[in-house]
Amino acid sequence: MKGFAMLKIGECGWIEKEKPEPGPYDAIVRPLAVAPCTSDIHTVFEGAIGERHNMILGHEAVGEVVEVGSEVKDFKPGDRVVVPAITPDWRTLEVQRGFHQHSGGMLAGWKFSNIKDGVFSEYFHVNDADMNLAYLPEEIPLEKAAMIADMMTTGFHGAELADIGFGDTVLVIGIGPVGLMAVAGAKLRGAARIIAVGSRPGLIEAAKYYGANDIVNYKHGDIVEQVMKLTDNKGVDAVIIAGAGVDALAKAVKVVKPGGTVSNVNYFGEGDVLPVPRLDWGCGMAHKSIRGGLCPGGRLRMEKLIDLVRYNRVDPGKLVSHVFRGFDYVEKALLMMKEKSSDVIKPVVIIE
């Protein structure tokens, strides 16, 4: 089969591999729509998780089941499914501890394009199909459904980790597609005021669509000064970091109130240390919580997010800025995420 792969750090291209085989609880899926992610860029061009050779990229997909193992009960060939970016092994102690994202080790629930071949191929393998796949309703278009697999679950997890309460003021740093879903998630969880940090006009428009009240443009000055001015030097109740560089954590700690929470769902791809400003953290005693997490995956999570789309609580379709038709466009779409011109939010490749 054909796949688009990371050949080594800094290099990607098309390769041929053997079609995968399912274990008794697994499925083989043919992609119907895939989307590249900034995480793929960090992985390939920054070497963020280390060297990988000839590893097929991609972890955002909806597809059609083509083969199932002998013990799969709920899915059959021909079923159209949303495939989460995070596909845990559900029979692990980490699941019993409540952290399925780390089943089998830290970040090990993230299998596609990390510890096994991803979804940018003619066929891909899904472990524990009954627990990791979710039916795709006919009324949800493929390009919109592809946003559920990672962008929605990651952005919403940022809002969950931030512990947002009714009436809170929330800052979202980075309004790429994950940040936009963090804005939407903060609104759903009851934030009264949402301040979003970004600069590209299309993303600013989308942030306002999803619920941002104020925009802070980092090109117009230090974001800490701008946020403090907007809040009359009170700061914010919660910060969600969904993008930006290694200095984002320090800025978040500076603007969050004592007793507030800094939530991170950003993939920091470079550097050995993330600095925390000592005095702004109250010498460690300010009750400013710092929480970071890999997005939830699995079937139940996908079904809940599908219902949010199905019943018009959120429309992830606004994230999709470009739609290509044909498997060969995967490379172009990935490089679009690398270059990020002003009109790019999220490209999707329809393969059906």
Side-chain angles (χ1 to χ4, degrees):
M1 68 176 188
K2 180 180 177 181
F4 190 75
M6 175 179 177
L7 306 180
K8 61 181 180 180
I9 291 177
E11 187 176 337
C12 51
W14 294 99
I15 63 171
E16 292 284 337
K17 281 196 171 185
E18 292 293 321
K19 178 184 173 184
E21 297 292 331
Y25 295 96
D26 308 334
I28 304 301
V29 176
R30 177 178 72 87
L32 300 176
V34 298
C37 183
T38 304
S39 296
D40 296 309
I41 305 305
H42 292 315
T43 297
V44 175
F45 297 102
E46 297 173 8
I49 55 174
E51 188 65 88
R52 300 289 192 276
H53 294 286
N54 296 335
M55 180 187 69
I56 293 174
L57 293 165
H59 52 264
E60 300 180 37
V62 293
E64 178 185 318
V65 175
V66 296
E67 188 177 355
V68 296
S70 59
E71 300 303 314
V72 175
K73 307 299 183 185
D74 296 340
F75 297 92
K76 63 185 183 305
D79 288 340
R80 289 156 60 97
V81 292
V82 175
V83 184
I86 306 305
T87 54
D89 294 314
W90 289 95
R91 290 175 55 86
T92 60
L93 293 178
E94 290 85 0
V95 170
Q96 293 187 31
R97 291 182 60 233
F99 295 99
H100 67 261
Q101 300 96 317
H102 308 289
S103 60
M106 188 167 66
L107 304 183
W110 169 28
K111 300 187 186 309
F112 294 130
S113 66
N114 177 20
I115 58 179
K116 76 173 187 181
D117 284 331
V119 303
F120 293 168
S121 56
E122 293 178 295
Y123 302 94
F124 60 88
H125 173 273
V126 180
N127 61 291
D128 205 349
D130 283 334
M131 295 295 289
N132 282 321
L133 297 177
Y135 287 106
L136 173 61
E138 288 291 336
E139 63 265 32
I140 300 179
L142 291 175
E143 60 269 23
K144 188 179 293 190
M147 298 299 96
I148 297 171
D150 186 3
M151 298 299 94
M152 273 189 73
T153 186
T154 301
F156 280 28
H157 195 44
E160 290 166 330
L161 290 173
D163 196 24
I164 296 166
F166 291 116
D168 279 354
T169 296
V170 178
L171 175 67
V172 177
I173 300 177
I175 49 171
V178 168
L180 293 174
M181 288 293 93
V183 170
K187 180 180 177 181
L188 282 173
R189 288 180 71 89
R193 187 184 189 187
I194 302 172
I195 304 169
V197 177
S199 65
R200 289 188 281 159
L203 294 171
I204 290 172
E205 177 190 349
K208 291 178 179 178
Y209 169 83
Y210 284 119
N213 304 96
D214 303 280
I215 302 296
V216 167
N217 190 328
Y218 59 87
K219 293 183 178 180
H220 295 167
D222 180 61
I223 70 169
V224 172
E225 294 179 5
Q226 293 185 68
V227 170
M228 296 308 287
K229 183 178 180 180
L230 281 171
T231 60
D232 297 324
N233 288 316
K234 294 177 182 178
V236 299
D237 298 293
V239 182
I240 303 171
I241 304 173
V246 295
D247 63 340
L249 182 59
K251 293 180 186 298
V253 170
K254 288 180 179 181
V255 300
V256 76
K257 297 174 184 177
T261 300
V262 174
S263 159
N264 179 75
V265 287
N266 185 36
Y267 179 179
F268 288 108
E270 298 179 294
D272 295 325
V273 176
L274 298 174
V276 174
R278 180 180 63 85
L279 290 177
D280 294 292
W281 202 27
C283 303
M285 297 179 287
H287 290 93
K288 295 186 179 185
S289 300
I290 300 172
R291 308 175 72 190
L294 179 64
C295 67
R299 177 176 175 177
L300 181 61
R301 176 71 167 192
M302 293 299 105
E303 289 177 345
K304 286 178 176 290
L305 296 181
I306 287 168
D307 279 349
L308 285 172
V309 177
R310 194 176 193 178
Y311 297 109
N312 300 313
R313 298 303 182 193
V314 66
D315 178 9
K318 188 75 170 178
L319 303 180
V320 181
S321 58
H322 297 75
V323 177
F324 300 102
R325 296 189 179 274
F327 188 40
D328 290 342
Y329 280 102
V330 166
E331 181 174 10
K332 181 175 181 177
L334 180 75
L335 294 178
M336 286 182 77
M337 289 301 289
K338 180 174 185 287
E339 301 301 328
K340 285 187 180 173
S341 61
S342 61
D343 62 336
V344 172
I345 301 178
K346 191 78 170 178
V348 174
V349 179
I350 305 295
I351 302 170
E352 187 180 34

